């Protein structure tokens, strides 16, 4: 699988690089970005934090706006940010051009319904194809953490709950915690997965939390109390109910005055990276 280097910039003593490749999972060309700290070598590979972005985003949003390079460089952590969705001339989009479905809104599921099932297989891409490629081509270890924002926060928590053996920790900012209960999730799941709501539950964090068994993945969730989507799309109270039901090791922090923006994430991203580093040390 050939990687095409799109860009490279030195930052915080390490390197930020973008790559494209033809994804077999997505049946399209896709792009990801990677930050490699200065201590990353073949002799001493470093752990990786995978970042999943939210609606309308791509790999550039986190890398350019969240200010995570300095702390990742000091701690010796690589960061990988894939695109949120398959893209390309032949990839279907919402016929109405809506921002919350289609291109930029893959929701990190494996679509089962045509025409979406040809390309929209972001779950398999994030869990298998992307990390396999990263670990083959870059000086990183198999120690992985996963984080995300909004739709990406949904993806990070859901993927960690379904794959507790693959991730040492998971964190999320403003996650869509209960997508089967909110308009964003209902629109995406009905189109990608069909009308059988039993099929939706495998991608719903609250449902997965209530049915979890095995060794839990430590989690940290950050939420702003001035988030415009707090009660209509995110529903953190539903997550907290599930956490209490399962006694799951999840730390939830409600931050006064913060909204859904990148300013919120930039304020607390260092805490999340340090959370992952702490869990790598104890795993």
């Amino acid at each position: 699988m050939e990687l095409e280097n799109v860009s490279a910039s030195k930052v915080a003593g390490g390197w930020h690089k973008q790559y494209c490749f033809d994804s077999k999972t997505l049946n399209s060309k896709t792009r990801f970005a990677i930050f490699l700290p200065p201590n990353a070598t073949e002799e001493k590979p470093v752990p990786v934090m995978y970042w999943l972005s939210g609606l309308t985003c791509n790999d550039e949003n986190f890398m350019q706006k969240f200010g995570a390079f300095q702390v990742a460089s000091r701690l010796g952590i690589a960061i990988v940010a894939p695109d949120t969705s398959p893209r390309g001339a032949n990839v279907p989009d919402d016929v109405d051009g809506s921002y919350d479905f289609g291109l930029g809104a893959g929701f990190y599921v494996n679509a089962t319904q045509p025409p979406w099932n040809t390309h929209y297989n972001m779950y398999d891409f994030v869990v298998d194809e992307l990390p396999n490629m990263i670990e083959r081509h870059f000086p990183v270890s198999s120690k992985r953490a996963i984080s995300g924002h909004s739709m990406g926060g949904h993806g990070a928590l859901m993927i960690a709950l379904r794959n507790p053996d693959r991730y040492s920790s998971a964190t999320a900012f403003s996650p869509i915690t209960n997508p089967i209960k909110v308009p964003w999730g209902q629109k995406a799941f009905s189109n990608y997965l069909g009308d059988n709501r039993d099929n939706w539950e495998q991608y719903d964090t609250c449902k997965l939390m209530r049915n979890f068994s095995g060794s839990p993945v430590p989690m940290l969730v950050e939420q702003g109390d001035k988030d415009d989507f707090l009660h209509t799309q995110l529903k953190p109270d539903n997550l907290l109910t599930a956490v209490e039901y399962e006694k799951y090791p999840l730390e939830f922090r409600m931050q006064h005055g913060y909204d859904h923006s990148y300013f919120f994430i930039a304020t607390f991203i260092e805490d999340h990276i340090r959370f992952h580093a702490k869990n790598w040390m104890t795993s």
Side-chain angles (χ1 to χ4, degrees):
M1 226 179 287
E2 185 176 0
L3 289 178
E4 175 189 350
N5 186 210
V6 177
S7 70
S9 298
K10 191 167 186 179
V11 57
W15 286 92
H16 168 272
K17 297 182 179 183
Q18 288 176 306
Y19 291 88
C20 284
F21 72 99
D22 291 320
S23 167
K24 292 182 178 179
T25 303
L26 305 180
N27 289 299
S28 66
K29 179 170 281 191
T30 193
R31 189 177 74 188
F32 68 87
I34 183 169
F35 169 71
L36 288 169
N39 67 320
T41 65
E42 294 294 338
E43 293 74 26
K44 293 184 177 180
V46 297
V48 187
M49 182 187 85
Y50 289 87
W51 176 268
L52 306 183
S53 289
L55 290 166
T56 76
C57 296
N58 56 35
D59 64 286
E60 294 181 346
N61 297 83
F62 178 80
M63 292 300 201
Q64 294 184 9
K65 296 180 180 180
F66 291 7
F69 296 131
Q70 291 289 357
V71 64
S73 180
R74 290 195 299 270
L75 296 175
I77 294 171
I79 300 173
V80 172
D83 202 345
T84 58
S85 312
R87 300 182 194 264
N90 297 319
V91 177
D93 193 10
D94 193 316
V95 293
D96 297 324
S98 176
Y99 77 96
D100 59 0
F101 184 72
L103 301 185
F107 268 84
Y108 304 103
V109 305
N110 284 340
T112 59
Q113 305 300 302
W116 318 106
N117 55 343
T118 300
H119 300 284
Y120 285 79
N121 297 298
M122 289 301 299
Y123 177 87
D124 282 351
F125 178 76
V126 169
V127 174
D128 294 315
E129 186 177 23
L130 180 63
N132 288 342
M133 169 166 287
I134 296 297
E135 290 166 23
R136 284 201 310 272
H137 290 277
F138 299 97
V140 302
S141 72
S142 59
K143 287 187 174 182
R144 311 177 196 94
I146 191 164
S147 296
H149 172 230
S150 194
M151 178 184 73
H154 138 74
L157 299 181
M158 173 270 293
I159 286 172
L161 287 167
R162 290 185 58 174
N163 301 273
D165 58 326
R166 293 182 66 86
Y167 301 97
S168 299
S169 52
T171 73
F173 291 85
S174 313
I176 304 170
T177 67
N178 201 182
I180 65 175
K181 296 290 188 180
V182 301
W184 278 343
Q186 291 167 353
K187 179 178 180 179
F189 288 7
S190 62
N191 282 282
Y192 292 141
L193 304 173
D195 294 330
N196 186 344
R197 295 197 172 213
D198 291 343
N199 296 330
W200 300 9
E201 293 185 359
Q202 64 182 311
Y203 297 110
D204 186 280
T205 294
C206 288
K207 285 290 185 179
L208 291 168
M209 185 78 71
R210 281 184 171 272
N211 296 319
F212 186 81
S213 62
S215 299
V217 178
M219 293 179 173
L220 171 62
V221 172
E222 212 86 43
Q223 177 64 60
D225 67 357
K226 299 302 182 184
D227 193 316
D228 290 341
F229 306 110
L230 182 62
H231 302 295
T232 57
Q233 302 283 10
L234 308 181
K235 296 192 178 296
D237 288 346
N238 293 9
L239 175 64
L240 293 177
T241 298
V243 167
E244 178 61 25
Y245 177 86
E246 187 58 36
K247 304 300 180 186
Y248 195 92
L250 182 148
E251 179 182 359
F252 180 87
R253 306 196 310 192
M254 182 67 79
Q255 301 291 358
H256 177 65
Y258 287 92
D259 57 18
H260 200 74
S261 72
Y262 299 119
F263 298 112
F264 170 49
I265 301 161
T267 303
F268 298 103
I269 188 62
E270 181 169 341
D271 291 353
H272 287 234
I273 293 175
R274 291 189 179 279
F275 180 85
H276 294 313
K278 178 187 71 175
N279 281 286
W280 278 319
M281 290 175 64
T282 58
S283 63

